[in-house]
Amino acid sequence: MKNLADLQAIKEKSQNEMKAHSTRVLVGMATCGIAAGAKPIIEALEEGVKMNNLADVEVSRVGCIGLCQYEPLVEVVKEGEDPVTYVNMDVDKVNKVIEKHLKGGEIVEEYTVSGTALT
């Protein structure tokens, strides 16, 4: 990047790429998330999205989501809907979220902040 025009081009490219995905899956990969085991979580999500040909789903690494005591955290953000934050995730939970939420559109309440996963 050498000038403002280059920066604007990067911005536009990023915005166009984001529009291609109606669902974003964010995995908390700050220090607390990594220490809690987020690496196998993101790997399972990336593999599950690929294996199920979920072309409209983008899996992204993000920093702190803000609930460090409930790591690993996964947030599903679907266009036009409120974000859903899944807590205390493991690979088995990821597989269920892929099947029920990402493929079927059904939130897995017991894994969410408002569900029983916090107890």
Side-chain angles (χ1 to χ4, degrees), residues 1 4-20:
M1 176 173 37
L4 189 55
D6 290 347
L7 181 60
Q8 184 65 31
I10 292 169
K11 176 184 173 186
E12 288 173 10
K13 180 181 177 200
S14 295
Q15 287 175 332
N16 288 335
E17 288 174 359
M18 286 176 33
K19 288 177 186 173

Side-chain angles (χ1 to χ4, degrees), residues 27-28 32-33 36-38 41 68 70-74 86-90:
V27 181
C32 52
I41 302 304
C68 301
Y70 301 117
E71 292 283 2
L73 293 167
V74 172
Y86 291 106
V87 299
N88 300 319
M89 293 299 286
D90 61 34

Side-chain angles (χ1 to χ4, degrees), residues 62-107:
V62 297
C64 183
I65 294 176
L67 296 168
C68 301
Q69 67 271 34
Y70 301 117
E71 292 283 2
L73 293 167
V74 172
E75 190 165 75
V76 176
V77 182
K78 288 190 167 201
E79 190 175 311
E81 298 179 12
D82 290 336
V84 177
T85 303
Y86 291 106
V87 299
N88 300 319
M89 293 299 286
D90 61 34
V91 173
D92 290 334
K93 290 179 180 180
V94 165
N95 292 330
K96 188 170 182 181
V97 167
I98 290 169
E99 281 300 312
K100 296 275 188 175
H101 194 162
L102 299 181
K103 289 176 66 177
E106 177 185 338
I107 296 170

